[in-house]
Amino acid sequence: SKSEAVRRVTIDSEVASSAHVSAPPPRESKQKGGLRTISVTERFHCRPHDLYSVLLDENRWKGFTQSNAKISNEVGGAFSVFDGAVKGVILKLEENRLIMQKWRFENWKDGHYSTLCMTFEEPEIGVTILRLTQTDVPEEDRYGNATVAENTESGWRNHIFHRIRAVFGYGL
């Protein structure tokens, strides 16, 4: 009968909703206040100088990203890469060893910067280990997209490090 079918649908939907398993909570943030830390370690087949130089050379950035780049390679100098989508200021440089920057995506909330630190080690001649730590990465951009940390990390891997290996032959 029609009333029995309606009752069955109601019961089935109540059972389904009570059996619903909620999604796991978001990955635990390493920082408070909706900020995340990104850590990436990558190996390159080159000397530290080669990689350090690429990351501070606007012409090579233009080449491996196929986008506009302006990079000052002096402490206090500004940089802009990916046609202005990423901007910042160089905080500290130790030649062939460290690059530290204030760094932000254009779609982050106004005035918010992360701190980026890249270190370069050479455990054996011709192999460079780059360790990247980026703190104060917001969980959301100004539009409420909650994938900022994941997109930033995959951007480093896929749009920067992978392309550097492919364009300059630094792959392993």
Side-chain angles (χ1 to χ4, degrees), residues 12-148:
D12 288 348
S13 69
E14 287 170 2
V15 169
S17 66
S18 69
H20 175 71
V21 178
S22 62
R27 196 168 68 173
E28 203 60 41
S29 174
K30 292 185 182 181
Q31 296 181 307
K32 296 177 184 165
L35 301 176
R36 303 270 297 270
T37 294
I38 295 171
S39 298
V40 175
T41 300
E42 296 279 334
R43 291 173 59 95
F44 295 85
H45 185 66
C46 63
R47 304 298 302 268
H49 171 76
D50 300 322
L51 191 54
Y52 179 90
S53 298
V54 164
L55 290 166
L56 291 174
D57 183 317
E58 68 184 45
N59 288 319
R60 289 191 260 184
W61 265 89
K62 289 174 187 177
F64 78 79
T65 65
Q66 296 297 296
S67 64
N68 287 322
K70 291 183 179 151
I71 300 174
S72 165
N73 55 7
E74 297 177 359
V75 172
F79 68 90
S80 169
V81 294
F82 292 110
D83 296 324
V86 174
K87 295 179 180 177
V89 176
I90 297 185
L91 298 175
K92 186 174 182 181
L93 295 172
E94 292 177 16
E95 191 170 0
N96 307 328
R97 294 183 37 185
L98 177 128
I99 297 172
M100 186 178 283
Q101 301 171 328
K102 274 178 45 176
W103 193 101
R104 66 173 273 113
F105 266 114
E106 189 177 42
N107 66 354
W108 290 2
K109 290 181 180 158
D110 289 340
H112 183 87
Y113 284 85
S114 64
T115 300
L116 173 71
C117 183
M118 289 183 278
T119 61
F120 306 82
E121 298 170 21
E122 190 174 32
E124 58 187 270
I125 293 175
V127 174
T128 296
I129 304 293
L130 180 147
R131 287 188 173 80
L132 176 149
T133 304
Q134 190 168 356
T135 59
D136 300 325
V137 177
E139 289 186 349
E140 291 186 351
D141 66 16
R142 72 174 71 212
Y143 307 109
N145 298 313
T147 56
V148 171

